[in-house]
Amino acid sequence: MLLASCSGIRHLPEGAKLYTGAEVKMVSSGKVDTKKYEGLAGEVVRPFPNKAFLGMRPRLWMYMLAGNEPKGPVKKALRKYGEPPVLLSDVKPVAISAIIDARLFNMGIFKSYTESRIVEGKRTAKIIYTSHIHSPYVIKELTYSIPDSSIDTLIQGIKKYSPIKKGATYNLENLQNERIRIDSHLKNKGYFYFSPDYLVFRADTSETKGTVSLQLALKDSVPRQALQVYRIRKVVINPNYTLNDENTDTSTFAFRKAFFVGKKQEMNIRPGVIYRSVYLRKNEVYSREYHNITLHRLMSMGNFKFVQVKIAGSDTTAPGFLDVKVLLTPIPDYTFRAEMDLVSKSSNYTGPRLNLSMQNKNTFHGAEVLDFNMSGAFEVQLGNRNLFSYNWNPQLQLTFPRLLVPFKTVRSRSTYTPKTAVSMSYNFMKRVNYFDLNTFQFSFGYKWKGNIKHEHEFNPVSISYTSLTNKTASFVDLLARNPFLKKSYEEQFVGGINYAYTYNEQVFSNKKVQYYFHGTAETAGNAFSLAKILAGESPSPGNPSTLFGSVYSQYAKFSADGRLYYNFRNQDKMVLRLFAGIAQPYGNSSTLPYSKQFFAGGPNSIRAFPINSLGPGTYRQIPGNTGFLQLGGEVKMEMNAEYRFGIYRFVKGALFVDAGNVWLQKSNPAKLGNPFVLPASFREVAVGAGFGIRIDVSFFVLRFDLAMPLQKPWLPQGERWVTNQVDFGNPGWRKDNLILNIAIGYPF
């Protein structure tokens, strides 16, 4: 009765039939992948039927229940959020059949014909389209007929990169892409007024059965200016352009090969800084690539609200020249921001946090960005008022819009501005009844992008110093019971280098399969140990050397995070992730610094277990009053699979499975859990699964993930799988096993 009432069918007008969709079938006498063409042809079938869920059409039911002239707020709301019925009378089978044939024609099936048949039910109807097809035509050859020798030479020079290959199936989309590709190449060679529409393909199917010969030619009506190479005659840069009045200042001054509007002594940003990002230069051949680089680099400086590059034919009598105007609308140099948060952590620490930040976007009149941040927080552990902490953290970072290196760099063709960053920070944290923690950090490094997919970060100098003071007797006793934790918390001086590389295809939103990779490499202490050895010392874990009175760390660390995003046609998504990391202390160290260890568990890891609570190996960490003292590992492996689907508008759902753990290496003297040994360690992974609800409004994602453990690695072998103990009706089981993760953003 419920299914029938929510179907919406019984409210249809008398004699009308609800359209429930279409089915596309392919019939061929030859060897053709009919399933492939059924799917491609089905993409053009219109209209879409009413959305259904388990045989019900709730939105159609709401619409029909409201009536044609709804009165009252309830019925008006039902009408607004409902969905009008899609009737059989709305469908045009003959027109759709012609569209299917056109789609097949564009894929090389030139002689198809499609029939339609209506299958009627009592109150519903669907349509079956049957297309009679043949094997698609393949390309026999591609020739060129370009009368302009200069253009012909340029096209022949990039012929090997053409998507049109001999023996490949004919596809109209490849022909369109080839025209765009050639047009882009010609525009980079100075053909400013050229257009893809000036190129035409002529097809001949008469030579060999099932093949098509293609010839690329210029249209007869190509204007003369489209066949001419253009150079830049003059470049004018206005750094204080306003939309209200373009000519507020008519004075100009020359700088290298450009003219700046305004007075040099009144320039807020030095002319050389702006000129460095303008790739269109006087007397050079126009390039569309350099045009785009100029736009992107000026915008990425962060000093301008709007950037325009206007290009027009020169007003001189000499043909073949262009004039360039670069119009820049500045924004204020200073910004100030204040935030107040209430933070709740899975370790039951809760409290307020204050963030203050100030930014100067033009510190030394060279578009240098100076960021000063000050944050402070107070946290208390719920249920234990004697366990609380507070911290404050000033940070200072200066970013230069160029690479500060002691050698001359060549002009990069990347649209992204390389940057040099210098940062310093200090963090003071007091764990009442335990210790005071002081952390100083300094780094100097570079960030750059080869293109939109590839990003690099290299820090040749990365220094941190951690000091524990005011240690209480209870904390000292706690460390004495755990030598591994004690070694991790010792005063450590970390000085080294690190590099990170990111490959990200998620920037291409229409790509069906997207890949992501983030790899890091880090070493520390090698330069210090080399200096000690040259000085006649022999650093070792048993007799560690010191620097400025503190033991320095020596280790190497590597990690790789790979992900695959598979996008379905209905906007659902399947995400697979694999993380692997390994670190090795050596030389002056036997244990990694606490901040450099790997951890597992929590909202962005294995969600069925509390944050940082897993491992090492089969060791079990029992959450308690000292939940901030979790143990880490030197090896980490983690695997995640998550299926994301839509529920209603911005409300999304997810089903997920997580697995992984951290281990100590066999060489580590600490005897915690089993060391990492393949393949035995694969039997020691923690496994969890669950369901998530996400509020996704594009710029903000609030995530709720409810997970339960499936395998607990600390149990005896043979008893680790706990799926037979699942008992949702038992309050005790729910309390011990269900973990609710609340977080901002997607986990990966």
Side-chain angles (χ1 to χ4, degrees), residues 530-546:
L530 179 61
K532 294 289 184 179
I533 292 172
L534 294 176
E537 297 185 25
S538 300
S540 66
N543 184 29
S545 295
T546 61

Side-chain angles (χ1 to χ4, degrees), residues 535-571:
E537 297 185 25
S538 300
S540 66
N543 184 29
S545 295
T546 61
L547 194 68
F548 305 118
S550 178
V551 175
Y552 65 85
S553 298
Q554 189 172 7
Y555 64 88
K557 181 180 179 182
F558 305 92
S559 67
D561 184 348
R563 308 172 194 174
L564 182 149
Y565 299 84
Y566 186 90
N567 298 289
F568 296 92
R569 293 177 184 172
N570 59 356
Q571 297 185 339

Side-chain angles (χ1 to χ4, degrees), residues 598-659:
F598 293 108
F599 296 90
N604 295 315
S605 179
I606 305 167
R607 285 160 279 187
F609 300 86
I611 189 168
N612 299 346
S613 65
L614 286 171
T618 56
Y619 181 81
R620 184 185 185 186
Q621 301 187 45
I622 302 176
N625 291 343
T626 57
F628 58 90
L629 295 178
Q630 295 96 339
L631 302 177
E634 299 165 341
V635 178
K636 179 178 179 178
M637 293 193 67
E638 192 168 292
M639 296 155 283
N640 311 84
E642 182 169 288
Y643 179 69
R644 300 171 183 169
F645 54 91
I647 296 178
Y648 181 73
R649 293 193 175 181
F650 54 81
V651 180
K652 313 292 184 181
L655 297 172
F656 57 84
V657 177
D658 306 318

Side-chain angles (χ1 to χ4, degrees), residues 138-208:
V138 298
I139 297 172
K140 181 181 179 181
E141 62 178 350
L142 172 62
T143 58
Y144 299 88
S145 178
I146 310 295
D148 187 290
S149 59
S150 298
I151 293 179
D152 181 64
T153 300
L154 291 173
I155 294 176
Q156 293 287 351
I158 60 171
K159 180 181 178 180
K160 61 181 179 180
Y161 303 110
S162 173
I164 304 172
K165 304 294 184 182
K166 180 180 178 181
T169 301
Y170 172 91
N171 192 310
L172 179 64
E173 184 178 351
N174 287 340
L175 272 60
Q176 295 170 336
N177 291 337
E178 175 69 348
R179 295 201 312 169
I180 295 172
R181 188 182 71 92
I182 291 174
D183 172 70
S184 176
H185 182 66
L186 293 178
K187 280 189 167 63
N188 286 335
K189 299 299 181 180
Y191 290 90
F192 178 76
Y193 291 104
F194 200 84
S195 169
D197 294 335
Y198 299 151
L199 294 169
V200 60
F201 281 97
R202 300 189 178 103
D204 183 3
T205 60
S206 62
E207 295 184 16
T208 306

Side-chain angles (χ1 to χ4, degrees), residues 282-323:
K282 181 180 179 179
N283 294 329
E284 292 186 2
V285 173
Y286 170 82
S287 168
R288 177 59 59 84
E289 180 183 8
Y290 282 175
H291 185 150
N292 293 332
I293 291 175
T294 299
L295 285 170
H296 281 87
R297 291 217 166 189
L298 289 171
M299 281 300 299
S300 66
M301 286 174 63
N303 299 87
F304 304 107
K305 186 187 304 183
F306 301 109
V307 175
Q308 301 179 61
V309 177
K310 291 186 176 181
I311 299 179
S314 176
D315 54 6
T316 64
T317 56
F321 284 92
L322 300 169
D323 288 338

Side-chain angles (χ1 to χ4, degrees), residues 2-3 33 78 224 371 407 440 458 470 515 529 610 632 740:
L2 177 64
L3 292 173
D33 185 357
L78 290 174
R224 182 176 58 84
D371 289 293
F407 50 84
F440 301 87
F458 174 57
N470 296 330
Y515 294 97
S529 284
L740 177 62

